[in-house]
Amino acid sequence: MSLFGASGHGKVILDILQSTGQSVDVVYDDYPKQPSLLEVPIVPASTLDSVKIDSLILSIGNNKVRKRLAKKLNVTFANAIHPSAILSKHIAIGEGTVVMAGVKVNPDAVIGKHCILNTGAIVEHDCKIGDFAHLSPGVALAGNVTVGEGTHVGIGSCVIQGITIGKWVTIGAGAVIIKDVPDYAVVVGNPGKIIKYNLQDE
């Protein structure tokens, strides 16, 4: 097992893997700033082309960068799921997705590829999370919520049942979402209000 990305986010994923007894051989990074991460060696990402990798997790928090690398790298992508996460057996989780401590996912939820379900996030029944999305710590999605590709839901945000959030949306920390959100919108506050739109360059 290998990781790509030696940031703080990578440290959390590495800790999850180590806590479940999985061996991580190396962490790749474009610009290594230290020799190791939790005692695992960090090497330049440029060496990826010269080695055979059994499985890899993109341990990068930036949703657009994860998407770009997922398309570029011809490897098998693995998942990391913290042992304290409570996951219904009636869910689907795509490759490359990471599920952190205290996450709860209820029946018939569908989680896409290369998503981040961060510490303590709650995904209720029948939710659909698009590829490359990130639910920050403490996010709570009620039932039947849809979150589009690449969307980042900020720490402590809440979304009421039945809401659809578009692709590449940014939901600010602590926002309360009570109506649908269009693609690329940036939403803050309680109740959530659109303040601008992200660039459509994903």
Side-chain angles (χ1 to χ4, degrees):
M1 173 79 74
S2 303
L3 300 184
F4 191 125
S7 65
H9 179 63
K11 184 184 296 183
V12 175
I13 294 174
L14 178 54
D15 184 66
I16 290 171
L17 294 169
Q18 291 176 339
S19 72
T20 56
Q22 298 182 69
S23 176
V24 179
D25 302 314
V26 65
V27 178
Y28 297 97
D29 196 90
D30 284 322
Y31 306 102
K33 297 181 175 64
Q34 54 198 27
S36 64
L37 191 69
L38 301 183
E39 302 182 352
V40 175
I42 301 172
V43 300
S46 57
T47 63
L48 261 170
D49 295 333
S50 61
V51 297
K52 179 175 174 55
I53 299 174
D54 291 330
S55 58
L56 179 77
I57 295 176
L58 297 172
S59 49
I60 294 170
N62 185 295
N63 297 347
K64 290 184 178 180
V65 174
R66 281 202 316 288
K67 181 177 181 180
R68 175 174 58 80
L69 288 171
K71 288 186 170 183
K72 174 183 176 183
L73 297 173
N74 184 25
V75 299
T76 298
F77 291 107
N79 300 89
I81 298 176
H82 195 279
S84 71
I86 301 174
L87 308 181
S88 167
K89 63 181 180 180
H90 303 289
I91 64 172
I93 298 181
E95 67 179 17
T97 286
V98 297
V99 180
M100 298 186 178
V103 167
K104 297 178 183 178
V105 183
N106 277 329
D108 290 331
V110 177
I111 314 299
K113 300 177 182 178
H114 302 284
C115 294
I116 301 168
L117 304 187
N118 221 316
T119 308
I122 297 172
V123 179
E124 268 297 343
H125 63 89
D126 301 292
C127 286
K128 294 178 175 59
I129 312 300
D131 299 343
F132 310 105
H134 181 176
L135 305 185
S136 296
V139 164
L141 305 183
N144 286 294
V145 168
T146 297
V147 176
E149 178 188 85
T151 286
H152 183 188
V153 184
I155 189 169
S157 297
C158 300
V159 183
I160 68 168
Q161 67 275 8
I163 293 296
T164 295
I165 298 173
K167 64 182 180 180
W168 300 100
V169 168
T170 302
I171 305 293
V176 177
I177 307 302
I178 61 172
K179 60 183 180 179
D180 292 350
V181 178
D183 296 346
Y184 306 104
V186 178
V187 180
V188 300
N190 177 9
K193 295 181 180 179
I194 298 171
I195 58 169
K196 62 179 182 177
Y197 284 85
N198 290 315
L199 296 175
Q200 301 183 25
D201 62 352
E202 85 281 356

